[in-house]
Amino acid sequence: MKNSYLTIAGIICLYLLSYNQIHAQGCVAIRSGCGANVGGGASLQKGQWQAGTNFRYFHSYKHFRGKHEETYRVQEGSEVINDSFFMDFLISYALTDRLSLNAVLPFVLHNRSSLYEHGGNPREDDISTVENEFWAGDRHSTSSAGLADIRLGMTYWLLDPAKNSATNASIGLGMKFASGDYRAQDEFYNQGTGKNETIHSGVDQSIQPGDGGYGATLDLQGYHTLSNGVVISANLYYLSNPREYYTLETRGRSRDFSVPDQYAARLGALVMTPVHGLFFYGGGRLEGVPSSDLIGGDEGFRRPGYAISLEPGLTYGIRNTAFNLTVPVAIERNRTRSFSDKESGGHGDAAFADYLVNFSFSYRFGKSTPVLESIQAPTGI
């Protein structure tokens, strides 16, 4: 009986992993990640459907240049604050017990508060007051909302789930469409030479709903059931964006913005509890934007970097319905040097969040027996 619980737990582990998307941690705009091919972690049976939603939120405000946190930004009030909300609608369908098709329909809402975009934080040669005195200017916000980049994909289990339910791995291939607006605009204040103009212009790259490119995704997932009541799982993801850059007018001037690649990885364990249908998840995750792309050039402005987080969570499943909550907490943040930084010898900064709230709900239906139907409270764990 104990082994049957572990087998079910292994299936659930990837079933929920497929909904636990990785997204932006602030100015380093990571718009899609682990589990982008929804259903990639779900052990669906032929003819079965799986639908769900995934909600995420973060508040970024701590600035990093490399691994060094520039704490003075918060102290003097010049920090950039991003509040971002994500809501994905996900569905997948199993053509066979090993091959499934999947889709993600994502929506976003962003708000960005700053000084430098609204006439504050002038260059040293613009400061007309006492030398090196900080001039705060006015803090204002810009926003964007709407449809983000739609993703379609397919997933294939390397081993037959009917014969290898305790250990398995899947490979997912997909495509990301440039459906999200990457030229969203809002009001910027204190513009012009006299800092007395209000203009309507493109918002920052980190809060654009889309990244402007068509991309290809690779998603690898796997799990292994241990005899001591623990199921370990892993997820690797890479998005390749061949488009090099696009040009956008922002704050009254044209600028080339990069369409960067993205990567993510998760490693963790699912532990059954004595409570019926309740599981504890613990692990780590890495998410980032590289300085250079696998395909295409690297010109254009980008904020590359990565965040490493510890990720505790809880999962509750009953019959064919599951709920999942994780709160990854950052333990290392690094704003790496971009391609243009390396050329100029500089090193830009970026704002990161302390944590990410991630909640998902999923429901599977069809002619097959629900995976969660036979879950009972395990014993001896």
Side-chain angles (χ1 to χ4, degrees), residues 124-184:
E124 287 189 10
D125 56 3
D126 287 337
I127 298 177
S128 57
T129 56
V130 179
E131 184 177 1
N132 296 326
E133 179 180 348
F134 174 75
W135 177 55
D138 295 324
R139 179 176 287 275
H140 291 280
S141 297
T142 51
S143 300
S144 65
L147 178 67
D149 291 342
I150 295 172
R151 302 185 296 279
L152 301 177
M154 61 178 60
T155 301
Y156 183 76
W157 286 96
L158 301 182
L159 303 177
D160 185 352
K163 300 177 181 179
N164 302 275
S165 57
T167 301
N168 214 332
S170 67
I171 180 170
L173 298 175
M175 183 173 183
K176 179 190 67 68
F177 295 84
S179 54
D181 187 3
Y182 56 96
R183 299 184 182 277

Side-chain angles (χ1 to χ4, degrees), residues 222 227 251 281 340 347 363:
S227 59
R251 288 182 284 146
Y281 176 82
S340 58
H347 194 153
Y363 176 78

